Amino acid sequence: QLTIEDSSIINEPENIDLLSRILPVSIDYDDYFLYHSSFYRPISTTKKHCEITTIHDFTHNLYSSFLKKTVHNKLKYSSIKKSNGIICISNSTYNDLMRYCPPNKNQKVAVIYNGVSDDYFKIDHPTETDLHFLSSNKIVGDYVLFIGSRANYKNFDFVINLLKETPHLMLVVVGEPFNQQELKKIGKYLLERIILVTNASNNQLNILYNFALAFIYPSSYEGFGIPIIESMKSGCP
């Protein structure tokens, strides 16, 4: 149970377990309050409150297994239907909302775009720290940059095939280590032209954007696509 002592924001720990994330949160507060969960978490209270839900995308409807989609949508749709107000982070997500879980006439819906961190900016004069980060990761010459999940709809296979056709380019991938299936697709010789960076900070991502020949993002579907605006703010094509 979370008890609100004043008009402050109550944040739960970032490392909260999955079961806790899907169970109702109990809030005890006598005055009218605003409840906004970023993961469609239900609320258990008899107190008067206004519930807001932010929807990022409907990826599960298109690309997840039946079981994963069913569990996720049970939480999401329940949260949407109980909300007084709904925020969509793009017009694309708004259109998907109207397609998959249309709100009723009493619910207010607004499109409020995602922002981009000030950690991303164009580097006009590289520092020793910038250059050291690149050299320590053996990043030299022209490279294209791929960031984030490599799930099926992200089309990483396309990037692998692109690299085969451009022997003068390196590929820098930011994300999880390659699995065995990916390593098999890449092959031993192509792997020599790929540099994997894991657990990169925002500052390090900004360096990678700035020095890349181009950023590649061949995703089939995004609710918004935050790396696109990170790239643009960093001056990376």
Side-chain angles (χ1 to χ4, degrees):
Q1 176 172 303
L2 300 178
T3 302
I4 304 176
E5 298 178 351
D6 52 33
S7 57
S8 60
I9 297 174
I10 304 298
N11 290 316
E12 288 190 303
E14 291 184 3
N15 60 348
I16 186 171
D17 61 87
L18 179 60
L19 181 60
S20 296
R21 288 176 71 187
I22 64 177
L23 291 177
V25 58
S26 176
I27 296 180
D28 183 22
Y29 188 57
D30 290 331
D31 291 334
Y32 188 77
F33 66 92
L34 173 69
Y35 178 69
H36 179 203
S37 171
S38 61
F39 192 69
Y40 316 116
R41 189 174 180 188
I43 181 175
S44 173
T45 183
T46 58
K47 310 295 185 178
K48 291 183 178 180
H49 68 285
C50 175
E51 192 164 341
I52 305 295
T53 293
T54 293
I55 307 171
H56 296 276
D57 57 54
F58 285 81
T59 305
H60 287 77
N61 292 66
L62 299 169
Y63 297 102
S64 293
S65 65
F66 176 78
L67 180 59
K68 188 174 182 180
K69 178 175 68 175
T70 301
V71 173
H72 177 85
N73 283 351
K74 182 176 177 59
L75 285 171
K76 177 188 283 186
Y77 292 180
S78 174
S79 180
I80 291 172
K81 293 181 184 303
K82 291 190 303 178
S83 294
N84 304 92
I86 300 167
I87 298 172
C88 297
I89 52 93
S90 68
N91 282 306
S92 175
T93 295
Y94 172 80
N95 291 335
D96 285 341
L97 170 68
M98 302 306 290
R99 174 185 176 186
Y100 293 113
C101 188
N104 64 53
K105 62 180 180 180
N106 296 320
Q107 291 176 298
K108 295 183 178 180
V109 183
V111 174
I112 303 176
Y113 299 109
N114 283 324
V116 58
S117 171
D118 289 334
D119 290 341
Y120 300 97
F121 56 89
K122 194 172 188 304
I123 299 174
D124 294 317
H125 304 288
T127 66
E128 289 187 12
T129 301
D130 299 336
L131 299 176
H132 174 72
F133 171 72
L134 294 173
S135 62
S136 63
N137 283 281
K138 301 179 180 179
I139 301 173
V140 293
D142 291 334
Y143 68 90
V144 290
L145 179 64
F146 182 95
I147 291 176
S149 166
R150 300 187 297 271
N152 55 347
Y153 68 96
K154 297 289 188 176
N155 296 317
F156 186 65
D157 285 1
F158 174 85
V159 182
I160 295 173
N161 291 329
L162 175 67
L163 197 61
K164 292 177 181 177
E165 298 176 8
T166 50
H168 61 289
L169 290 179
M170 298 284 292
L171 172 66
V172 175
V173 176
V174 179
E176 296 294 322
F178 294 121
N179 58 42
Q180 290 301 314
Q181 185 178 9
E182 289 175 323
L183 289 173
K184 186 176 180 180
K185 288 181 179 179
I186 294 170
K188 181 175 65 175
Y189 296 106
L190 199 62
L191 193 62
E192 295 176 355
R193 292 168 47 211
I194 298 177
I195 296 169
L196 178 68
V197 179
T198 58
N199 300 317
S201 66
N202 281 4
N203 290 334
Q204 292 169 340
L205 285 176
N206 185 58
I207 296 171
L208 292 174
Y209 279 126
N210 267 270
F211 289 88
L213 184 67
F215 172 60
I216 184 166
Y217 200 64
S219 177
S220 294
Y221 173 88
E222 295 293 328
F224 187 89
I226 289 178
I228 292 290
I229 56 173
E230 291 176 350
S231 176
M232 293 171 69
K233 198 163 185 286
S234 305
C236 177

